[in-house]
Amino acid sequence: LGFSFQASYWARGIPAIALAHGERSLPLLVAALATPSVQGAALVAAQGLGDVSLAPPMVSAFAGKRDKALGRAWLLRHPRHAAAGILEMLAKDGTSLEAMRALRFLETRGHRDSILELARRLGREDEVRELLDRDPLTAPKVKRPTVPEFVRATTLPALVPVDPGAGRAASADAVETLLVTAAFSNADEVHPAVLAAKRTYTEASRAAFAWTVFEAWLAAGADPKHAWCMQMVGFLGDDASARKLS
């Protein structure tokens, strides 16, 4: 831009400029987001603007700890711009774990169809679908979680397929896999198998299954190490489950 940012001045000025000039302030915001001394102010100022150029710094913020909430807020506020920007990032570097996790986060929040629509326009639908469905547990250095003794596939309510032609309830092996993938999941990164289960099994059977896992965790002492058992109610439960939790 031909000048450098003086932190004490620009930290106050960037939000005001973004508010007054909107999209015309994008070049300034992009430069500020790449400047550590004013990055925090720029992340706040950019919240109201949706543009693919903002996706890379927002994905980086989402991947970190200090500014994760701001990165998350922007992704949720501008999901189509975010998805388009992330797909552009992955076109340049298909191994970017930060971009993959951000894209999966958007899928978790209900934007799978929108992501695949954008990918279709780019002629990359099959590639992106494979990425969304890829097992993150197979990535290098990822530790496979252990399911606790108090949760056993053979003692849980049956998961009934939505499609009557899909056969009988989920097998014990399928349930065990679902439990492992649920244990891996968190609010920002839900394993694709958990998302698939939400589409595959009936709401009533999912809710009963998740609630039984939650009650087993409570009965075993509610060890925070296995708090995913409570999160499972959010992943697979229904509105009645949510009301019971509250």
Side-chain angles (χ1 to χ4, degrees), residues 110-130:
H111 299 291
R112 180 183 177 92
D113 290 345
S114 179
I115 293 168
L116 291 175
E117 177 198 341
L118 289 169
R120 191 178 306 121
R121 292 182 183 181
L122 297 170
R124 297 169 56 201
E125 183 179 3
D126 290 343
E127 170 197 342
V128 172
R129 188 185 301 276
E130 188 277 329

PDB file of all heavy atoms in Angstrom, residues 110-130:
ATOM      1  N   GLY A 110     -24.114 -27.020   8.271  1.00  0.00           N
ATOM      2  CA  GLY A 110     -25.227 -27.131   7.336  1.00  0.00           C
ATOM      3  C   GLY A 110     -24.984 -26.604   5.940  1.00  0.00           C
ATOM      4  O   GLY A 110     -25.950 -26.387   5.187  1.00  0.00           O
ATOM      5  N   HIS A 111     -23.730 -26.398   5.535  1.00  0.00           N
ATOM      6  CA  HIS A 111     -23.448 -25.780   4.238  1.00  0.00           C
ATOM      7  C   HIS A 111     -22.874 -26.746   3.211  1.00  0.00           C
ATOM      8  O   HIS A 111     -22.261 -26.312   2.223  1.00  0.00           O
ATOM      9  CB  HIS A 111     -22.504 -24.583   4.435  1.00  0.00           C
ATOM     10  CG  HIS A 111     -23.059 -23.511   5.309  1.00  0.00           C
ATOM     11  ND1 HIS A 111     -24.122 -22.720   4.917  1.00  0.00           N
ATOM     12  CD2 HIS A 111     -22.732 -23.124   6.577  1.00  0.00           C
ATOM     13  CE1 HIS A 111     -24.408 -21.870   5.904  1.00  0.00           C
ATOM     14  NE2 HIS A 111     -23.598 -22.098   6.916  1.00  0.00           N
ATOM     15  N   ARG A 112     -23.063 -28.053   3.422  1.00  0.00           N
ATOM     16  CA  ARG A 112     -22.515 -29.040   2.481  1.00  0.00           C
ATOM     17  C   ARG A 112     -23.039 -28.806   1.053  1.00  0.00           C
ATOM     18  O   ARG A 112     -22.253 -28.793   0.097  1.00  0.00           O
ATOM     19  CB  ARG A 112     -22.867 -30.458   2.945  1.00  0.00           C
ATOM     20  CG  ARG A 112     -22.327 -31.569   2.031  1.00  0.00           C
ATOM     21  CD  ARG A 112     -22.769 -32.945   2.501  1.00  0.00           C
ATOM     22  NE  ARG A 112     -22.320 -34.000   1.614  1.00  0.00           N
ATOM     23  CZ  ARG A 112     -21.179 -34.674   1.761  1.00  0.00           C
ATOM     24  NH1 ARG A 112     -20.371 -34.404   2.767  1.00  0.00           N
ATOM     25  NH2 ARG A 112     -20.850 -35.641   0.914  1.00  0.00           N
ATOM     26  N   ASP A 113     -24.340 -28.634   0.896  1.00  0.00           N
ATOM     27  CA  ASP A 113     -24.913 -28.464  -0.443  1.00  0.00           C
ATOM     28  C   ASP A 113     -24.355 -27.230  -1.129  1.00  0.00           C
ATOM     29  O   ASP A 113     -24.063 -27.245  -2.337  1.00  0.00           O
ATOM     30  CB  ASP A 113     -26.441 -28.371  -0.362  1.00  0.00           C
ATOM     31  CG  ASP A 113     -27.087 -29.698   0.016  1.00  0.00           C
ATOM     32  OD1 ASP A 113     -26.401 -30.740  -0.066  1.00  0.00           O
ATOM     33  OD2 ASP A 113     -28.275 -29.685   0.403  1.00  0.00           O
ATOM     34  N   SER A 114     -24.187 -26.157  -0.374  1.00  0.00           N
ATOM     35  CA  SER A 114     -23.651 -24.922  -0.937  1.00  0.00           C
ATOM     36  C   SER A 114     -22.195 -25.112  -1.373  1.00  0.00           C
ATOM     37  O   SER A 114     -21.780 -24.637  -2.438  1.00  0.00           O
ATOM     38  CB  SER A 114     -23.747 -23.799   0.095  1.00  0.00           C
ATOM     39  OG  SER A 114     -23.224 -22.602  -0.421  1.00  0.00           O
ATOM     40  N   ILE A 115     -21.424 -25.819  -0.566  1.00  0.00           N
ATOM     41  CA  ILE A 115     -20.020 -26.091  -0.899  1.00  0.00           C
ATOM     42  C   ILE A 115     -19.936 -26.899  -2.186  1.00  0.00           C
ATOM     43  O   ILE A 115     -19.149 -26.589  -3.094  1.00  0.00           O
ATOM     44  CB  ILE A 115     -19.330 -26.849   0.256  1.00  0.00           C
ATOM     45  CG1 ILE A 115     -19.203 -25.956   1.494  1.00  0.00           C
ATOM     46  CG2 ILE A 115     -17.945 -27.358  -0.174  1.00  0.00           C
ATOM     47  CD1 ILE A 115     -18.804 -26.713   2.751  1.00  0.00           C
ATOM     48  N   LEU A 116     -20.746 -27.949  -2.287  1.00  0.00           N
ATOM     49  CA  LEU A 116     -20.705 -28.808  -3.473  1.00  0.00           C
ATOM     50  C   LEU A 116     -21.227 -28.076  -4.712  1.00  0.00           C
ATOM     51  O   LEU A 116     -20.758 -28.332  -5.836  1.00  0.00           O
ATOM     52  CB  LEU A 116     -21.517 -30.081  -3.215  1.00  0.00           C
ATOM     53  CG  LEU A 116     -20.901 -31.037  -2.183  1.00  0.00           C
ATOM     54  CD1 LEU A 116     -21.842 -32.207  -1.913  1.00  0.00           C
ATOM     55  CD2 LEU A 116     -19.535 -31.547  -2.652  1.00  0.00           C
ATOM     56  N   GLU A 117     -22.168 -27.159  -4.515  1.00  0.00           N
ATOM     57  CA  GLU A 117     -22.656 -26.358  -5.648  1.00  0.00           C
ATOM     58  C   GLU A 117     -21.531 -25.492  -6.207  1.00  0.00           C
ATOM     59  O   GLU A 117     -21.326 -25.404  -7.423  1.00  0.00           O
ATOM     60  CB  GLU A 117     -23.823 -25.480  -5.200  1.00  0.00           C
ATOM     61  CG  GLU A 117     -24.357 -24.559  -6.301  1.00  0.00           C
ATOM     62  CD  GLU A 117     -25.180 -23.405  -5.755  1.00  0.00           C
ATOM     63  OE1 GLU A 117     -25.645 -23.480  -4.602  1.00  0.00           O
ATOM     64  OE2 GLU A 117     -25.328 -22.420  -6.498  1.00  0.00           O
ATOM     65  N   LEU A 118     -20.786 -24.852  -5.318  1.00  0.00           N
ATOM     66  CA  LEU A 118     -19.655 -24.029  -5.754  1.00  0.00           C
ATOM     67  C   LEU A 118     -18.595 -24.893  -6.435  1.00  0.00           C
ATOM     68  O   LEU A 118     -18.035 -24.508  -7.466  1.00  0.00           O
ATOM     69  CB  LEU A 118     -19.047 -23.299  -4.550  1.00  0.00           C
ATOM     70  CG  LEU A 118     -19.868 -22.167  -3.950  1.00  0.00           C
ATOM     71  CD1 LEU A 118     -19.274 -21.728  -2.618  1.00  0.00           C
ATOM     72  CD2 LEU A 118     -19.925 -20.988  -4.909  1.00  0.00           C
ATOM     73  N   ALA A 119     -18.332 -26.063  -5.859  1.00  0.00           N
ATOM     74  CA  ALA A 119     -17.345 -26.972  -6.444  1.00  0.00           C
ATOM     75  C   ALA A 119     -17.788 -27.440  -7.830  1.00  0.00           C
ATOM     76  O   ALA A 119     -16.970 -27.581  -8.748  1.00  0.00           O
ATOM     77  CB  ALA A 119     -17.132 -28.171  -5.521  1.00  0.00           C
ATOM     78  N   ARG A 120     -19.104 -27.662  -7.993  1.00  0.00           N
ATOM     79  CA  ARG A 120     -19.643 -28.095  -9.290  1.00  0.00           C
ATOM     80  C   ARG A 120     -19.388 -27.027 -10.344  1.00  0.00           C
ATOM     81  O   ARG A 120     -19.019 -27.329 -11.488  1.00  0.00           O
ATOM     82  CB  ARG A 120     -21.137 -28.372  -9.134  1.00  0.00           C
ATOM     83  CG  ARG A 120     -21.779 -29.076 -10.329  1.00  0.00           C
ATOM     84  CD  ARG A 120     -23.259 -29.348 -10.054  1.00  0.00           C
ATOM     85  NE  ARG A 120     -23.429 -30.082  -8.800  1.00  0.00           N
ATOM     86  CZ  ARG A 120     -24.130 -29.653  -7.756  1.00  0.00           C
ATOM     87  NH1 ARG A 120     -24.742 -28.466  -7.807  1.00  0.00           N
ATOM     88  NH2 ARG A 120     -24.228 -30.376  -6.661  1.00  0.00           N
ATOM     89  N   ARG A 121     -19.575 -25.781  -9.975  1.00  0.00           N
ATOM     90  CA  ARG A 121     -19.348 -24.676 -10.920  1.00  0.00           C
ATOM     91  C   ARG A 121     -17.882 -24.610 -11.351  1.00  0.00           C
ATOM     92  O   ARG A 121     -17.570 -24.167 -12.451  1.00  0.00           O
ATOM     93  CB  ARG A 121     -19.745 -23.348 -10.281  1.00  0.00           C
ATOM     94  CG  ARG A 121     -21.237 -23.189 -10.029  1.00  0.00           C
ATOM     95  CD  ARG A 121     -21.528 -21.825  -9.444  1.00  0.00           C
ATOM     96  NE  ARG A 121     -22.938 -21.652  -9.131  1.00  0.00           N
ATOM     97  CZ  ARG A 121     -23.444 -20.524  -8.628  1.00  0.00           C
ATOM     98  NH1 ARG A 121     -22.643 -19.475  -8.413  1.00  0.00           N
ATOM     99  NH2 ARG A 121     -24.733 -20.438  -8.358  1.00  0.00           N
ATOM    100  N   LEU A 122     -17.009 -25.052 -10.450  1.00  0.00           N
ATOM    101  CA  LEU A 122     -15.568 -25.029 -10.744  1.00  0.00           C
ATOM    102  C   LEU A 122     -15.093 -26.322 -11.399  1.00  0.00           C
ATOM    103  O   LEU A 122     -13.900 -26.472 -11.688  1.00  0.00           O
ATOM    104  CB  LEU A 122     -14.781 -24.808  -9.445  1.00  0.00           C
ATOM    105  CG  LEU A 122     -15.020 -23.472  -8.727  1.00  0.00           C
ATOM    106  CD1 LEU A 122     -14.369 -23.486  -7.345  1.00  0.00           C
ATOM    107  CD2 LEU A 122     -14.467 -22.319  -9.563  1.00  0.00           C
ATOM    108  N   GLY A 123     -16.018 -27.262 -11.595  1.00  0.00           N
ATOM    109  CA  GLY A 123     -15.648 -28.544 -12.168  1.00  0.00           C
ATOM    110  C   GLY A 123     -14.857 -29.417 -11.217  1.00  0.00           C
ATOM    111  O   GLY A 123     -14.078 -30.278 -11.649  1.00  0.00           O
ATOM    112  N   ARG A 124     -15.092 -29.244  -9.906  1.00  0.00           N
ATOM    113  CA  ARG A 124     -14.306 -29.969  -8.906  1.00  0.00           C
ATOM    114  C   ARG A 124     -15.187 -30.695  -7.894  1.00  0.00           C
ATOM    115  O   ARG A 124     -14.756 -30.981  -6.784  1.00  0.00           O
ATOM    116  CB  ARG A 124     -13.379 -28.989  -8.164  1.00  0.00           C
ATOM    117  CG  ARG A 124     -12.346 -28.314  -9.053  1.00  0.00           C
ATOM    118  CD  ARG A 124     -11.657 -27.180  -8.325  1.00  0.00           C
ATOM    119  NE  ARG A 124     -11.052 -27.610  -7.091  1.00  0.00           N
ATOM    120  CZ  ARG A 124     -10.740 -26.784  -6.082  1.00  0.00           C
ATOM    121  NH1 ARG A 124     -11.012 -25.486  -6.186  1.00  0.00           N
ATOM    122  NH2 ARG A 124     -10.188 -27.247  -4.980  1.00  0.00           N
ATOM    123  N   GLU A 125     -16.421 -31.010  -8.285  1.00  0.00           N
ATOM    124  CA  GLU A 125     -17.360 -31.572  -7.318  1.00  0.00           C
ATOM    125  C   GLU A 125     -16.875 -32.896  -6.741  1.00  0.00           C
ATOM    126  O   GLU A 125     -16.923 -33.108  -5.520  1.00  0.00           O
ATOM    127  CB  GLU A 125     -18.733 -31.766  -7.964  1.00  0.00           C
ATOM    128  CG  GLU A 125     -19.782 -32.295  -6.972  1.00  0.00           C
ATOM    129  CD  GLU A 125     -21.146 -32.476  -7.606  1.00  0.00           C
ATOM    130  OE1 GLU A 125     -21.271 -32.249  -8.833  1.00  0.00           O
ATOM    131  OE2 GLU A 125     -22.085 -32.840  -6.877  1.00  0.00           O
ATOM    132  N   ASP A 126     -16.401 -33.807  -7.583  1.00  0.00           N
ATOM    133  CA  ASP A 126     -15.960 -35.116  -7.088  1.00  0.00           C
ATOM    134  C   ASP A 126     -14.782 -34.976  -6.133  1.00  0.00           C
ATOM    135  O   ASP A 126     -14.719 -35.641  -5.090  1.00  0.00           O
ATOM    136  CB  ASP A 126     -15.573 -36.033  -8.255  1.00  0.00           C
ATOM    137  CG  ASP A 126     -16.778 -36.468  -9.078  1.00  0.00           C
ATOM    138  OD1 ASP A 126     -17.914 -36.337  -8.570  1.00  0.00           O
ATOM    139  OD2 ASP A 126     -16.579 -36.927 -10.213  1.00  0.00           O
ATOM    140  N   GLU A 127     -13.856 -34.107  -6.483  1.00  0.00           N
ATOM    141  CA  GLU A 127     -12.676 -33.872  -5.643  1.00  0.00           C
ATOM    142  C   GLU A 127     -13.068 -33.334  -4.267  1.00  0.00           C
ATOM    143  O   GLU A 127     -12.589 -33.800  -3.227  1.00  0.00           O
ATOM    144  CB  GLU A 127     -11.757 -32.874  -6.352  1.00  0.00           C
ATOM    145  CG  GLU A 127     -10.611 -32.347  -5.513  1.00  0.00           C
ATOM    146  CD  GLU A 127      -9.989 -31.088  -6.093  1.00  0.00           C
ATOM    147  OE1 GLU A 127     -10.202 -30.809  -7.308  1.00  0.00           O
ATOM    148  OE2 GLU A 127      -9.307 -30.372  -5.342  1.00  0.00           O
ATOM    149  N   VAL A 128     -13.984 -32.362  -4.253  1.00  0.00           N
ATOM    150  CA  VAL A 128     -14.385 -31.734  -2.995  1.00  0.00           C
ATOM    151  C   VAL A 128     -15.250 -32.692  -2.171  1.00  0.00           C
ATOM    152  O   VAL A 128     -15.127 -32.749  -0.938  1.00  0.00           O
ATOM    153  CB  VAL A 128     -15.126 -30.407  -3.260  1.00  0.00           C
ATOM    154  CG1 VAL A 128     -15.713 -29.831  -1.973  1.00  0.00           C
ATOM    155  CG2 VAL A 128     -14.165 -29.406  -3.907  1.00  0.00           C
ATOM    156  N   ARG A 129     -16.099 -33.453  -2.825  1.00  0.00           N
ATOM    157  CA  ARG A 129     -16.910 -34.434  -2.100  1.00  0.00           C
ATOM    158  C   ARG A 129     -16.002 -35.460  -1.406  1.00  0.00           C
ATOM    159  O   ARG A 129     -16.231 -35.825  -0.248  1.00  0.00           O
ATOM    160  CB  ARG A 129     -17.866 -35.144  -3.069  1.00  0.00           C
ATOM    161  CG  ARG A 129     -18.887 -36.057  -2.356  1.00  0.00           C
ATOM    162  CD  ARG A 129     -19.712 -36.832  -3.378  1.00  0.00           C
ATOM    163  NE  ARG A 129     -20.433 -35.952  -4.285  1.00  0.00           N
ATOM    164  CZ  ARG A 129     -21.602 -35.405  -4.009  1.00  0.00           C
ATOM    165  NH1 ARG A 129     -22.197 -35.656  -2.848  1.00  0.00           N
ATOM    166  NH2 ARG A 129     -22.207 -34.613  -4.886  1.00  0.00           N
ATOM    167  N   GLU A 130     -14.961 -35.908  -2.123  1.00  0.00           N
ATOM    168  CA  GLU A 130     -14.020 -36.865  -1.531  1.00  0.00           C
ATOM    169  C   GLU A 130     -13.300 -36.249  -0.337  1.00  0.00           C
ATOM    170  O   GLU A 130     -13.087 -36.906   0.686  1.00  0.00           O
ATOM    171  CB  GLU A 130     -13.005 -37.309  -2.592  1.00  0.00           C
ATOM    172  CG  GLU A 130     -12.084 -38.437  -2.157  1.00  0.00           C
ATOM    173  CD  GLU A 130     -10.885 -37.970  -1.341  1.00  0.00           C
ATOM    174  OE1 GLU A 130     -10.410 -36.838  -1.570  1.00  0.00           O
ATOM    175  OE2 GLU A 130     -10.438 -38.735  -0.460  1.00  0.00           O
TER     176      GLU A 130
END
